[in-house]
Amino acid sequence: MERDSSSSDDDEDRRTLVPQSEAKPPPPTPPPAAAAAAVFEIARGAAASAARSCGGGGGGGFWSSKRYLLLAVCLPLVLILLFFSLDLGRLFRGVSVIRVAGDGGDGGDRMREAELRALYLLRNQQSSLVKLWNRTVFNAAPSPAVAPASASSNSSSAKVDLPPHSSISLSSDEFRSALLEQIKLNREIQKALLSSHRLGNITSEPFDEDAGFDPSNSGLDLCRKVDKLSGRRTIEWRPKKDRFLFAICLSGQISNHLICLEKHMFFAALLDRTLILPSPKLDYEYDRILDINHINECFGRKVVMPFEEFSDMKKNKITIDRFICYIASPPCFLDEEHIKRLKTMGISLGKIEAAWPEDAKLKEQKKRVVGDITPKFSSDAEVLAIGDMFYADVEEDWLMQPGGPLAHKCKTVLQPSRLIMLTAQRFVQTFLGSNFIALHFRRHGFLKFCNAKKESCFFPIPQAAECILRVVERSNAPAIYLSTDAAESETNLLQSLVVLNDKPVPLVKRPDHNNVEKWDALLYRNHIGGDSLVEAMLDKTICALSNVFIGSSGSTFTEDILRLRRGWGSASRCDEYLCQGERPNYIAEQE
């Protein structure tokens, strides 16, 4: 129990009344501060006694000149007596002299630096807490942008559907994650303030640093993998002998062609036909980027055949017996140039007809289902062609399933070749490690393309950086793989703005080939290194291997990456389009 001040004073008085002849144990050594006070008290008493002995009683209102002279002689004697009778040095041996801010020493510089660092972190914490507050207030209040369920569907202010990871949505896990980040930031602030307080080799540590809480064991994983659906809607692909579907893909670049090829596989399965891959003279060299053997192995039978093999089987005399076009205008999406090239290759064409001639008057393709397809395209013709299928709007729910719409034993059917897969894995091991974000940052030609849409998808660099940082905060990834066609002026600015907690998050791009680096040796050893088609598929593969993927809305390159991630099971709950749910904060006028 603590004693009050009056009782302690009484004890002190009693101790002073003990006769001097009584034996007492030696007093404990007082702490430095108490010792100093006691010594100065003794000194004050000694000085008073000396003054009395030297100067007498001191009567009168002022001192005479003799008394001044006597004091001048006695005062030095008193000081000498105090110096030799008291060990003044002992008072300061237990006291360390600490430089304070402003004294010009290293300690002052260290303290100023720690205070500035703590101030910077506090401002960051304030900004984060304000954002968190705004998001929780927004979610708590009813949104005027969402109409009641009974509102007319024709109203322009009807329900506005926002994606699940928009910047204004906040789940309980995200809220817990935000609080966890503030706990970590508070710990950094404590460390910054305490880092300047050093006594010799001893560093002051914060007491009970995490207050019984371990952030590493919080159990939060906002970016965990997406759970696979228990059941898929699939169909069997069992081709009949001597029945073939001749694939034709013409629109756009390789990503468009792969989507077209996937839809051709779906039609071939519906019509019980073997799919003939396009000729490299008319299309891409698919065997440079795709594992053709893998496709047949997935189904346990031969379902696809390279054009060269089919041509050899037909002794270079190929006839397309029926040309039933899915796309009505232009018919089969063929122009005169492509028809001429087909004929130049020695391919005989039958009559070109449209399955739905009335579609030629439509601005957008009509949605079709399996029940619409089989009656129109079923035929006894040996070789059937249906033209480019990229724009075919058919059974999207089936096609978007993980692994696709066909029954097979693989994760996904259309996937990169083994050489590209190994090279991507070696790149990840060399530059990125197990935890990284992949960003497909489409810029070339996208400014005009996006601004022509109802809602533009071309974002200013500062806004894009803010959106990227939100994903970085959720995923806690140390690096970002950047797949882009942007100029260095844009990527340099983006890198300067992607900074979290005063640390830049590196944007890693594939470097140019260097013989010293061995991660891409397999490609060059097999004479496909430097090929633009191979490099595009390599970029897709690296992005598909990431923990979290940020894509470009409206890009088929992004859509093909998402297809691979769904099939491989690498899709994350944090996967999203860049600035998903937002609009560019500035949009240029149209020409």
Side-chain angles (χ1 to χ4, degrees):
M1 178 182 293
E2 293 183 1
R3 298 180 179 178
D4 58 22
S5 59
S6 61
S7 63
S8 62
D9 291 341
D10 292 341
D11 292 343
E12 183 66 26
D13 291 340
R14 282 194 292 271
R15 280 197 295 269
T16 59
L17 295 175
V18 176
Q20 294 185 2
S21 60
E22 182 178 343
K24 294 183 290 183
T29 304
V39 167
F40 285 119
E41 186 67 27
I42 294 171
R44 187 172 60 182
S49 299
R52 284 194 299 270
S53 62
C54 289
F62 57 90
W63 289 20
S64 65
S65 58
K66 289 183 179 181
R67 287 177 178 172
Y68 277 116
L69 180 61
L70 185 61
L71 179 62
V73 173
C74 291
L75 186 59
L77 294 175
V78 171
L79 293 177
I80 292 172
L81 176 63
L82 286 175
F83 182 82
F84 286 103
S85 62
L86 299 174
D87 185 6
L88 296 178
R90 178 176 59 84
L91 300 178
F92 302 100
R93 280 198 288 270
V95 179
S96 298
V97 179
I98 303 175
R99 293 181 181 271
V100 296
D103 68 352
D106 293 339
D109 293 339
R110 200 162 53 239
M111 185 174 291
R112 280 193 296 272
E113 182 180 350
E115 289 172 348
L116 289 174
R117 169 71 177 165
L119 180 61
Y120 174 79
L121 292 173
L122 283 169
R123 287 178 176 174
N124 280 353
Q125 187 175 50
Q126 181 189 36
S127 176
S128 299
L129 289 172
V130 168
K131 289 179 182 178
L132 180 62
W133 170 260
N134 289 338
R135 293 175 72 184
T136 53
V137 168
F138 184 93
N139 287 325
S143 172
V146 179
S150 60
S152 171
S153 60
N154 296 326
S155 173
S156 60
S157 62
K159 182 178 179 180
V160 179
D161 293 325
L162 293 174
H165 296 299
S166 66
S167 61
I168 58 176
S169 65
L170 188 67
S171 67
S172 59
D173 277 354
E174 286 179 315
F175 183 77
R176 291 176 64 202
S177 175
L179 291 181
L180 178 62
E181 289 304 314
Q182 297 311 312
I183 293 171
K184 293 178 180 178
L185 188 56
N186 183 272
R187 184 174 59 178
E188 283 192 49
I189 295 170
Q190 290 185 56
K191 286 183 177 179
L193 287 172
L194 290 165
S195 64
S196 63
H197 295 277
R198 297 175 181 270
L199 299 177
N201 294 326
I202 302 175
T203 305
S204 297
E205 296 293 341
F207 63 94
D208 195 10
E209 188 176 86
D210 292 311
F213 175 73
D214 184 3
S216 62
N217 295 326
S218 62
L220 282 176
D221 185 9
L222 296 178
C223 298
R224 57 186 177 272
K225 302 301 180 187
V226 175
D227 297 331
K228 285 192 174 183
L229 299 177
S230 56
R232 290 196 302 132
R233 184 187 178 191
T234 59
I235 59 172
E236 295 286 338
W237 189 359
R238 298 183 180 276
K240 296 177 181 178
K241 288 186 178 181
D242 302 328
R243 290 295 180 266
F244 305 95
L245 178 64
F246 192 91
I248 297 176
C249 297
L250 306 172
S251 60
Q253 299 183 17
I254 183 60
S255 297
N256 296 36
H257 286 229
L258 291 177
I259 293 172
C260 168
L261 207 59
E262 187 179 24
K263 292 179 180 179
H264 265 94
M265 293 169 63
F266 181 55
F267 271 64
L270 289 174
L271 302 173
D272 301 324
R273 292 175 176 270
T274 300
L275 184 65
I276 307 303
L277 298 178
S279 167
K281 295 179 181 179
L282 189 66
D283 203 339
Y284 292 106
E285 294 183 65
Y286 289 103
D287 58 350
R288 292 174 74 87
I289 59 171
L290 296 179
D291 195 336
I292 306 300
N293 292 330
H294 168 80
I295 299 174
N296 290 322
E297 290 170 359
C298 288
F299 294 94
R301 63 186 69 91
K302 194 158 192 172
V303 294
V304 297
M305 185 183 295
F307 176 84
E308 293 79 8
E309 183 180 343
F310 183 65
S311 181
D312 291 342
M313 187 177 74
K314 291 296 183 179
K315 298 179 180 180
N316 299 323
K317 293 181 179 180
I318 301 175
T319 300
I320 298 178
D321 301 301
R322 289 201 67 181
F323 228 130
I324 306 175
C325 301
Y326 186 96
I327 304 296
S329 178
C332 289
F333 214 74
L334 282 169
D335 55 20
E336 291 297 326
E337 175 63 27
H338 285 97
I339 293 175
K340 187 184 296 183
R341 289 173 65 184
L342 285 170
K343 292 179 179 180
T344 303
M345 292 167 57
I347 300 174
S348 301
L349 306 180
K351 180 183 177 181
I352 299 178
E353 53 187 304
W356 298 281
E358 63 273 16
D359 284 1
K361 299 179 182 180
L362 301 178
K363 292 183 178 180
E364 295 183 4
Q365 289 298 313
K366 188 176 180 180
K367 291 182 181 292
R368 309 289 182 186
V369 295
V370 170
D372 302 320
I373 295 167
T374 48
K376 288 288 185 179
F377 294 93
S378 294
S379 172
D380 290 331
E382 182 182 8
V383 181
L384 172 70
I386 57 179
D388 195 309
M389 292 292 293
F390 173 71
Y391 292 104
D393 191 351
V394 54
E395 298 288 8
E396 183 177 350
D397 292 341
W398 279 27
L399 293 169
M400 296 294 287
Q401 292 178 115
L406 307 179
H408 55 82
K409 60 182 181 182
C410 302
K411 291 182 177 180
T412 187
V413 175
L414 288 180
Q415 71 174 27
S417 68
R418 180 67 176 162
L419 289 175
I420 293 176
M421 183 73 76
L422 287 173
T423 302
Q425 292 174 357
R426 291 181 175 186
F427 179 86
V428 171
Q429 183 178 358
T430 303
F431 294 99
L432 299 167
S434 62
N435 182 23
F436 71 98
I437 296 171
L439 168 65
H440 175 224
F441 193 52
R442 173 72 187 272
R443 302 297 278 184
H444 181 69
F446 235 43
L447 177 58
K448 184 176 180 180
F449 168 79
C450 285
N451 283 357
K453 299 174 70 174
K454 184 177 180 180
E455 292 188 5
S456 178
C457 49
F458 191 89
F459 294 90
I461 298 289
Q463 186 179 358
E466 291 181 1
C467 297
I468 294 166
L469 282 173
R470 284 199 294 269
V471 179
V472 174
E473 286 178 318
R474 291 202 301 269
S475 65
N476 199 29
I480 299 173
Y481 177 66
L482 180 61
S483 172
T484 186
D485 55 6
E488 285 191 8
S489 57
E490 294 187 56
T491 57
N492 289 344
L493 176 59
L494 183 65
Q495 176 65 89
S496 69
L497 295 173
V498 181
V499 179
L500 183 65
N501 295 332
D502 203 27
K503 295 179 182 178
V505 182
L507 303 178
V508 181
K509 293 195 291 184
R510 277 189 303 105
D512 294 333
H513 174 64
N514 189 328
N515 289 329
V516 177
E517 297 176 357
K518 298 302 179 184
W519 64 269
D520 60 351
L522 283 175
L523 300 182
Y524 284 87
R525 195 181 305 154
N526 288 274
H527 311 292
I528 58 174
D531 184 290
S532 59
L533 187 64
V534 173
E535 291 186 343
M537 183 57 76
L538 178 60
D539 255 16
K540 286 183 182 180
T541 309
I542 296 171
C543 290
L545 292 173
S546 65
N547 290 63
V548 175
F549 175 63
I550 305 172
S552 293
S553 176
S555 166
T556 53
F557 191 95
T558 282
E559 296 305 319
D560 202 36
I561 293 170
L562 293 174
R563 176 188 66 82
L564 286 173
R565 290 177 65 79
R566 288 193 299 268
W568 289 349
S570 58
S572 160
R573 292 179 179 271
C574 292
D575 288 2
E576 62 179 44
Y577 298 114
L578 180 65
C579 295
Q580 184 167 309
E582 295 185 29
R583 295 182 180 179
N585 57 31
Y586 185 89
I587 300 176
E589 296 178 356
Q590 296 291 333
E591 294 181 45

PDB file of all heavy atoms in Angstrom, residues 429-444:
ATOM      1  N   GLN A 429      10.201 -17.699 -61.368  1.00  0.00           N
ATOM      2  CA  GLN A 429      11.183 -18.075 -60.345  1.00  0.00           C
ATOM      3  C   GLN A 429      12.347 -17.085 -60.300  1.00  0.00           C
ATOM      4  O   GLN A 429      12.894 -16.804 -59.230  1.00  0.00           O
ATOM      5  CB  GLN A 429      11.709 -19.484 -60.615  1.00  0.00           C
ATOM      6  CG  GLN A 429      12.696 -19.969 -59.549  1.00  0.00           C
ATOM      7  CD  GLN A 429      13.184 -21.375 -59.796  1.00  0.00           C
ATOM      8  OE1 GLN A 429      12.770 -22.025 -60.746  1.00  0.00           O
ATOM      9  NE2 GLN A 429      14.069 -21.858 -58.947  1.00  0.00           N
ATOM     10  N   THR A 430      12.725 -16.533 -61.440  1.00  0.00           N
ATOM     11  CA  THR A 430      13.863 -15.612 -61.506  1.00  0.00           C
ATOM     12  C   THR A 430      13.520 -14.225 -60.981  1.00  0.00           C
ATOM     13  O   THR A 430      14.271 -13.642 -60.199  1.00  0.00           O
ATOM     14  CB  THR A 430      14.379 -15.502 -62.954  1.00  0.00           C
ATOM     15  OG1 THR A 430      14.724 -16.798 -63.439  1.00  0.00           O
ATOM     16  CG2 THR A 430      15.592 -14.583 -63.031  1.00  0.00           C
ATOM     17  N   PHE A 431      12.370 -13.686 -61.377  1.00  0.00           N
ATOM     18  CA  PHE A 431      12.093 -12.271 -61.125  1.00  0.00           C
ATOM     19  C   PHE A 431      10.965 -11.983 -60.133  1.00  0.00           C
ATOM     20  O   PHE A 431      10.917 -10.885 -59.567  1.00  0.00           O
ATOM     21  CB  PHE A 431      11.741 -11.570 -62.448  1.00  0.00           C
ATOM     22  CG  PHE A 431      12.861 -11.509 -63.435  1.00  0.00           C
ATOM     23  CD1 PHE A 431      12.934 -12.417 -64.483  1.00  0.00           C
ATOM     24  CD2 PHE A 431      13.857 -10.555 -63.317  1.00  0.00           C
ATOM     25  CE1 PHE A 431      13.974 -12.372 -65.405  1.00  0.00           C
ATOM     26  CE2 PHE A 431      14.900 -10.492 -64.233  1.00  0.00           C
ATOM     27  CZ  PHE A 431      14.963 -11.401 -65.276  1.00  0.00           C
ATOM     28  N   LEU A 432      10.044 -12.909 -59.912  1.00  0.00           N
ATOM     29  CA  LEU A 432       8.820 -12.555 -59.194  1.00  0.00           C
ATOM     30  C   LEU A 432       8.576 -13.333 -57.916  1.00  0.00           C
ATOM     31  O   LEU A 432       8.137 -12.767 -56.915  1.00  0.00           O
ATOM     32  CB  LEU A 432       7.617 -12.727 -60.140  1.00  0.00           C
ATOM     33  CG  LEU A 432       7.636 -11.842 -61.390  1.00  0.00           C
ATOM     34  CD1 LEU A 432       6.589 -12.305 -62.389  1.00  0.00           C
ATOM     35  CD2 LEU A 432       7.403 -10.392 -61.021  1.00  0.00           C
ATOM     36  N   GLY A 433       8.800 -14.618 -57.926  1.00  0.00           N
ATOM     37  CA  GLY A 433       8.530 -15.417 -56.740  1.00  0.00           C
ATOM     38  C   GLY A 433       7.073 -15.842 -56.649  1.00  0.00           C
ATOM     39  O   GLY A 433       6.281 -15.661 -57.579  1.00  0.00           O
ATOM     40  N   SER A 434       6.718 -16.369 -55.484  1.00  0.00           N
ATOM     41  CA  SER A 434       5.414 -17.022 -55.346  1.00  0.00           C
ATOM     42  C   SER A 434       4.244 -16.059 -55.219  1.00  0.00           C
ATOM     43  O   SER A 434       3.103 -16.431 -55.466  1.00  0.00           O
ATOM     44  CB  SER A 434       5.435 -17.943 -54.121  1.00  0.00           C
ATOM     45  OG  SER A 434       5.669 -17.184 -52.942  1.00  0.00           O
ATOM     46  N   ASN A 435       4.497 -14.816 -54.818  1.00  0.00           N
ATOM     47  CA  ASN A 435       3.406 -13.873 -54.575  1.00  0.00           C
ATOM     48  C   ASN A 435       3.606 -12.610 -55.415  1.00  0.00           C
ATOM     49  O   ASN A 435       4.457 -11.781 -55.114  1.00  0.00           O
ATOM     50  CB  ASN A 435       3.356 -13.509 -53.082  1.00  0.00           C
ATOM     51  CG  ASN A 435       2.203 -12.575 -52.758  1.00  0.00           C
ATOM     52  OD1 ASN A 435       1.220 -12.512 -53.484  1.00  0.00           O
ATOM     53  ND2 ASN A 435       2.313 -11.845 -51.665  1.00  0.00           N
ATOM     54  N   PHE A 436       2.812 -12.491 -56.480  1.00  0.00           N
ATOM     55  CA  PHE A 436       2.905 -11.288 -57.306  1.00  0.00           C
ATOM     56  C   PHE A 436       1.571 -11.007 -57.981  1.00  0.00           C
ATOM     57  O   PHE A 436       0.729 -11.897 -58.141  1.00  0.00           O
ATOM     58  CB  PHE A 436       4.026 -11.407 -58.351  1.00  0.00           C
ATOM     59  CG  PHE A 436       3.751 -12.385 -59.469  1.00  0.00           C
ATOM     60  CD1 PHE A 436       3.268 -11.967 -60.705  1.00  0.00           C
ATOM     61  CD2 PHE A 436       3.998 -13.742 -59.300  1.00  0.00           C
ATOM     62  CE1 PHE A 436       3.020 -12.859 -61.726  1.00  0.00           C
ATOM     63  CE2 PHE A 436       3.768 -14.652 -60.312  1.00  0.00           C
ATOM     64  CZ  PHE A 436       3.281 -14.215 -61.543  1.00  0.00           C
ATOM     65  N   ILE A 437       1.397  -9.749 -58.335  1.00  0.00           N
ATOM     66  CA  ILE A 437       0.226  -9.304 -59.100  1.00  0.00           C
ATOM     67  C   ILE A 437       0.632  -9.201 -60.559  1.00  0.00           C
ATOM     68  O   ILE A 437       1.758  -8.798 -60.867  1.00  0.00           O
ATOM     69  CB  ILE A 437      -0.261  -7.935 -58.596  1.00  0.00           C
ATOM     70  CG1 ILE A 437      -0.734  -8.036 -57.146  1.00  0.00           C
ATOM     71  CG2 ILE A 437      -1.377  -7.379 -59.468  1.00  0.00           C
ATOM     72  CD1 ILE A 437      -1.031  -6.684 -56.514  1.00  0.00           C
ATOM     73  N   ALA A 438      -0.262  -9.559 -61.466  1.00  0.00           N
ATOM     74  CA  ALA A 438      -0.027  -9.348 -62.895  1.00  0.00           C
ATOM     75  C   ALA A 438      -0.994  -8.273 -63.384  1.00  0.00           C
ATOM     76  O   ALA A 438      -2.177  -8.287 -63.037  1.00  0.00           O
ATOM     77  CB  ALA A 438      -0.220 -10.639 -63.674  1.00  0.00           C
ATOM     78  N   LEU A 439      -0.477  -7.345 -64.155  1.00  0.00           N
ATOM     79  CA  LEU A 439      -1.277  -6.237 -64.684  1.00  0.00           C
ATOM     80  C   LEU A 439      -1.178  -6.214 -66.199  1.00  0.00           C
ATOM     81  O   LEU A 439      -0.082  -6.051 -66.742  1.00  0.00           O
ATOM     82  CB  LEU A 439      -0.787  -4.903 -64.097  1.00  0.00           C
ATOM     83  CG  LEU A 439      -1.319  -3.624 -64.758  1.00  0.00           C
ATOM     84  CD1 LEU A 439      -2.836  -3.505 -64.563  1.00  0.00           C
ATOM     85  CD2 LEU A 439      -0.604  -2.386 -64.184  1.00  0.00           C
ATOM     86  N   HIS A 440      -2.306  -6.417 -66.891  1.00  0.00           N
ATOM     87  CA  HIS A 440      -2.337  -6.188 -68.337  1.00  0.00           C
ATOM     88  C   HIS A 440      -2.817  -4.760 -68.553  1.00  0.00           C
ATOM     89  O   HIS A 440      -3.993  -4.429 -68.336  1.00  0.00           O
ATOM     90  CB  HIS A 440      -3.273  -7.180 -69.038  1.00  0.00           C
ATOM     91  CG  HIS A 440      -3.418  -6.878 -70.504  1.00  0.00           C
ATOM     92  ND1 HIS A 440      -4.626  -6.889 -71.158  1.00  0.00           N
ATOM     93  CD2 HIS A 440      -2.483  -6.533 -71.437  1.00  0.00           C
ATOM     94  CE1 HIS A 440      -4.441  -6.566 -72.433  1.00  0.00           C
ATOM     95  NE2 HIS A 440      -3.148  -6.343 -72.616  1.00  0.00           N
ATOM     96  N   PHE A 441      -1.890  -3.908 -68.957  1.00  0.00           N
ATOM     97  CA  PHE A 441      -2.137  -2.471 -69.064  1.00  0.00           C
ATOM     98  C   PHE A 441      -2.176  -2.111 -70.544  1.00  0.00           C
ATOM     99  O   PHE A 441      -1.176  -1.700 -71.124  1.00  0.00           O
ATOM    100  CB  PHE A 441      -1.034  -1.722 -68.314  1.00  0.00           C
ATOM    101  CG  PHE A 441      -1.308  -0.266 -68.082  1.00  0.00           C
ATOM    102  CD1 PHE A 441      -2.496   0.151 -67.508  1.00  0.00           C
ATOM    103  CD2 PHE A 441      -0.362   0.690 -68.412  1.00  0.00           C
ATOM    104  CE1 PHE A 441      -2.741   1.488 -67.281  1.00  0.00           C
ATOM    105  CE2 PHE A 441      -0.599   2.030 -68.186  1.00  0.00           C
ATOM    106  CZ  PHE A 441      -1.790   2.431 -67.622  1.00  0.00           C
ATOM    107  N   ARG A 442      -3.339  -2.282 -71.164  1.00  0.00           N
ATOM    108  CA  ARG A 442      -3.494  -2.035 -72.595  1.00  0.00           C
ATOM    109  C   ARG A 442      -3.625  -0.530 -72.835  1.00  0.00           C
ATOM    110  O   ARG A 442      -4.469   0.131 -72.249  1.00  0.00           O
ATOM    111  CB  ARG A 442      -4.734  -2.770 -73.115  1.00  0.00           C
ATOM    112  CG  ARG A 442      -5.091  -2.458 -74.566  1.00  0.00           C
ATOM    113  CD  ARG A 442      -4.128  -3.064 -75.549  1.00  0.00           C
ATOM    114  NE  ARG A 442      -4.395  -2.624 -76.896  1.00  0.00           N
ATOM    115  CZ  ARG A 442      -5.262  -3.228 -77.736  1.00  0.00           C
ATOM    116  NH1 ARG A 442      -5.931  -4.302 -77.308  1.00  0.00           N
ATOM    117  NH2 ARG A 442      -5.434  -2.787 -78.955  1.00  0.00           N
ATOM    118  N   ARG A 443      -2.790   0.018 -73.720  1.00  0.00           N
ATOM    119  CA  ARG A 443      -2.828   1.453 -74.006  1.00  0.00           C
ATOM    120  C   ARG A 443      -2.876   1.742 -75.516  1.00  0.00           C
ATOM    121  O   ARG A 443      -3.641   2.585 -75.961  1.00  0.00           O
ATOM    122  CB  ARG A 443      -1.602   2.154 -73.400  1.00  0.00           C
ATOM    123  CG  ARG A 443      -1.454   1.974 -71.912  1.00  0.00           C
ATOM    124  CD  ARG A 443      -2.589   2.581 -71.137  1.00  0.00           C
ATOM    125  NE  ARG A 443      -2.450   4.022 -70.919  1.00  0.00           N
ATOM    126  CZ  ARG A 443      -3.287   4.736 -70.200  1.00  0.00           C
ATOM    127  NH1 ARG A 443      -4.341   4.170 -69.632  1.00  0.00           N
ATOM    128  NH2 ARG A 443      -3.108   6.038 -70.038  1.00  0.00           N
ATOM    129  N   HIS A 444      -2.070   1.029 -76.309  1.00  0.00           N
ATOM    130  CA  HIS A 444      -1.963   1.339 -77.732  1.00  0.00           C
ATOM    131  C   HIS A 444      -3.318   1.170 -78.429  1.00  0.00           C
ATOM    132  O   HIS A 444      -3.905   0.097 -78.424  1.00  0.00           O
ATOM    133  CB  HIS A 444      -0.927   0.439 -78.398  1.00  0.00           C
ATOM    134  CG  HIS A 444      -0.752   0.716 -79.873  1.00  0.00           C
ATOM    135  ND1 HIS A 444      -0.173   1.869 -80.334  1.00  0.00           N
ATOM    136  CD2 HIS A 444      -1.095  -0.011 -80.963  1.00  0.00           C
ATOM    137  CE1 HIS A 444      -0.155   1.845 -81.656  1.00  0.00           C
ATOM    138  NE2 HIS A 444      -0.713   0.724 -82.058  1.00  0.00           N
TER     139      HIS A 444
END
